[in-house]
Amino acid sequence: MTNLRNYRNSRRSVLKAMTAGLAGLAGCSSVLQGDESDSTSEQKTTFHIGTPWNPDSLDPLVKGWMFRKLNIIEPLVIADYDASVKPGLASEWTTSDNKLTWEFTLQEDVSFHDGTPLTVDAVVSSLRRSFEADSLANLPVESISAKGERVVEIETSTPFAPLPAHLTRAPTSIVAEDSYDNDGDIKKPIGTGPFQFDSWTQGERITAVSNSSYRGQTPAIDTLVYESVPDEQTRVLKLENTELDMARALSGSTISTLEDREYLEPVDYAVPRSRYLVYDTTSSPFDDVKVRRAVMHAIDQEEIVGSVLNDLGPAAIGPFPPEVTDWANTDLEPYPYEPQTAEQLLAEAGWKATGNGRERDGETLEIGLWTYDARTLPLVSEVVQGQLSQVGFSVNLQVMDYSTIDERANSEEFDLVMWSNSLLWYSDPDRLADFVHSKDATMFSGYANDRVDTLLEEARRIPDANERKRRYDEVQSIVQRDVPIGWLTYVTNVVGMNAGIDGYEPLPTETCYHLENIEYDMEK
């Protein structure tokens, strides 16, 4: 565990030991090299982090986001704290006059964890594998080649302004040639980050160790253990027991529990992630925009934030939270909670009140609401179910597996899905195409709007940020009017951690934990 428990003379360590002892719980023992009685023995720190996610692959193309979060692997470009892009393994980049050729200049004196240098050939080889993968194959990348000793040249078939942002994505992280076995599969992710891969227990944990040869500051953590702890209450209990130093993806209801423990600290911060409703715009009743708007007016977002989310939201208006990114259209008009307006819209759509519901041409206004168990979605869905029933909807709520919803909603008619996702998991509003482009969208509303398609396609080709912003603002306005997706609340992340940790600054885009920056405050 952390050196808070390793420094035997620490006041904090004594307190923690007493707390664990009084609770009758078994904390982790100190990790010391050599004889503990020898004051000159080297003291090592082990940091345990618990998350809901399952480390079931070593391949950066499959679960690279885990290795990126731990900063084992690094891409050419990384996300900054204001959700913009900044240099990573590439120190700078340029585009040609016709915007079809990009040149990324590599940093000097960078080595992989196996000691081999970061060369332009290694980067080209790694990137080619990345862009041949399904997750990136839809991007207009034509070729990747070396230009001299330090420049990687990427050709695109069309001007593509979001390319640097896409290069922040974990699957584009650069790994050494010796990462692969003879079949070209990843046997060990050998990256360039401040932590280096050590071992993996499939489905349970990843262990990494400090990279003493890192070009920046050597991390204060010697060993980093990433554990899969799917149940939130178990994560909190393990944190209280000092079996974890950090527990992630907690709900707002855990904050008071953490605040009651002197040796723990909750950290909450806004992220560009939303809880939202996806309407099937191709089938009744949500093929009628009046019915979709009626739903939005029937939902009291503030009530959801207050009653379910412990006042951690806030209520969402558009896709991007303005406090996180400048790409948000701050002129969007919200759908105020107005049940009377919802009832009027339903009546205009032909759905007549019957006393205990609504009917149209003998059909009952009965809908299915699907969701999955994450980000408090089932509880939010229950509130939505109750609020919609007040204006005449009969709502059948089903909690299913994430992948089951994805498969069914993409292959059959549905009504309504409650979902949560990051709108900037790469730092560019081109991400909106995944939601509302008629052909490129991976979200399953069936929405098609020629003007939206045109704006999204133009914005990809335009290098000027202000011109791009104008187009994305219009996209957000049209989607707000048409409501193929109804934004309900933004997500505030809650992380519980050892109170003796200093220097932890959460990255809003959630792409990297940056645990290499933490320090320990011995006075806490």
Side-chain angles (χ1 to χ4, degrees), residues 167-481:
L167 287 171
T168 67
R169 295 168 60 176
T172 71
S173 297
I174 309 302
V175 296
E177 292 286 353
D178 278 351
S179 300
Y180 311 101
D181 62 20
N182 292 334
D183 296 325
D185 298 323
I186 293 285
K187 62 181 181 181
K188 178 180 181 180
I190 303 173
T192 54
F195 293 100
Q196 63 185 71
F197 175 81
D198 180 67
S199 63
W200 172 57
T201 303
Q202 186 169 3
E204 296 182 10
R205 66 179 58 197
I206 298 167
T207 301
V209 296
S210 171
N211 172 18
S212 60
S213 299
Y214 187 61
R215 59 190 182 278
Q217 180 178 341
T218 301
I221 296 169
D222 294 301
T223 301
L224 177 58
V225 181
Y226 175 102
E227 297 182 26
S228 175
V229 187
D231 179 68
E232 177 185 83
Q233 292 307 312
T234 304
R235 288 198 299 282
V236 173
L237 183 61
K238 288 171 81 73
L239 191 66
E240 292 179 299
N241 294 353
T242 69
E243 295 174 63
L244 292 176
D245 297 292
M246 176 178 283
R248 302 195 63 90
L250 301 179
S251 61
S253 62
T254 65
I255 290 179
S256 60
T257 300
L258 300 175
E259 288 176 335
D260 287 342
R261 305 290 186 267
E262 184 186 357
Y263 56 101
L264 298 179
E265 178 183 6
V267 176
D268 60 82
Y269 58 101
V271 295
R273 174 183 290 272
S274 296
R275 298 180 185 86
Y276 54 89
L277 292 169
V278 186
Y279 299 88
D280 184 346
T281 65
T282 66
S283 66
S284 177
F286 294 122
D287 56 350
D288 188 332
V289 68
K290 289 184 177 179
V291 182
R292 303 198 294 270
R293 291 173 182 166
V295 168
M296 300 307 295
H297 281 298
I299 295 176
D300 187 345
Q301 294 165 273
E302 296 295 343
E303 170 66 18
I304 291 172
V305 171
S307 66
V308 179
L309 303 177
N310 295 80
D311 294 320
L312 293 180
I317 299 176
F320 302 117
E323 62 269 30
V324 175
T325 174
D326 292 337
W327 290 111
N329 180 348
T330 55
D331 293 328
L332 294 181
E333 292 292 332
Y335 283 92
Y337 174 55
E338 294 176 349
Q340 299 86 351
T341 302
E343 292 174 341
Q344 179 182 340
L345 287 166
L346 290 172
E348 290 175 4
W351 294 98
K352 298 179 181 177
T354 62
N356 59 353
R358 289 181 181 271
E359 288 185 358
R360 183 178 68 183
D361 301 329
E363 179 186 2
T364 302
L365 186 55
E366 183 175 353
I367 63 169
L369 171 57
W370 299 349
T371 194
Y372 56 97
D373 189 8
R375 307 279 179 186
T376 326
L377 293 179
L379 291 177
V380 173
S381 297
E382 287 179 11
V383 175
V384 167
Q385 180 186 34
Q387 292 176 347
L388 293 185
S389 70
Q390 296 299 310
V391 298
F393 284 92
S394 174
V395 182
N396 177 24
L397 173 61
Q398 290 182 272
V399 180
M400 294 183 271
D401 183 73
Y402 178 100
S403 58
T404 300
I405 296 176
D406 191 38
E407 179 182 351
R408 290 186 61 181
N410 277 299
S411 60
E412 61 185 79
E413 289 184 357
F414 65 97
D415 294 316
L416 202 54
V417 171
M418 178 79 72
W419 203 261
S420 175
N421 219 326
S422 172
L423 275 295
L424 282 177
W425 58 268
Y426 55 88
S427 300
D428 195 278
D430 186 50
R431 174 79 166 125
L432 284 172
D434 293 336
F435 289 80
V436 292
H437 191 281
S438 63
K439 296 182 179 62
D440 295 344
T442 54
M443 197 44 70
F444 25 73
S445 69
Y447 178 64
N449 182 301
D450 290 343
R451 178 62 180 166
V452 167
D453 285 358
T454 298
L455 290 166
L456 290 172
E457 291 161 10
E458 287 179 354
R460 285 177 172 175
R461 294 194 295 268
I462 296 172
D464 183 82
N466 291 327
E467 286 297 312
R468 299 187 72 212
K469 177 73 163 58
R470 283 202 309 110
R471 284 160 176 79
Y472 288 121
D473 279 354
E474 186 176 346
V475 169
Q476 292 174 67
S477 296
I478 295 171
V479 170
Q480 187 75 351
R481 180 198 68 199

Side-chain angles (χ1 to χ4, degrees), residues 119-130 144 175 177 180:
T119 65
V120 67
D121 290 337
V123 174
V124 168
S125 176
S126 185
L127 279 181
R128 282 177 177 169
R129 181 176 187 268
S130 301
I144 302 167
V175 296
E177 292 286 353
Y180 311 101

Side-chain angles (χ1 to χ4, degrees), residues 55-66:
D56 57 1
S57 174
L58 288 177
D59 194 332
L61 299 184
V62 181
K63 285 291 176 73
W65 56 272
M66 285 189 179

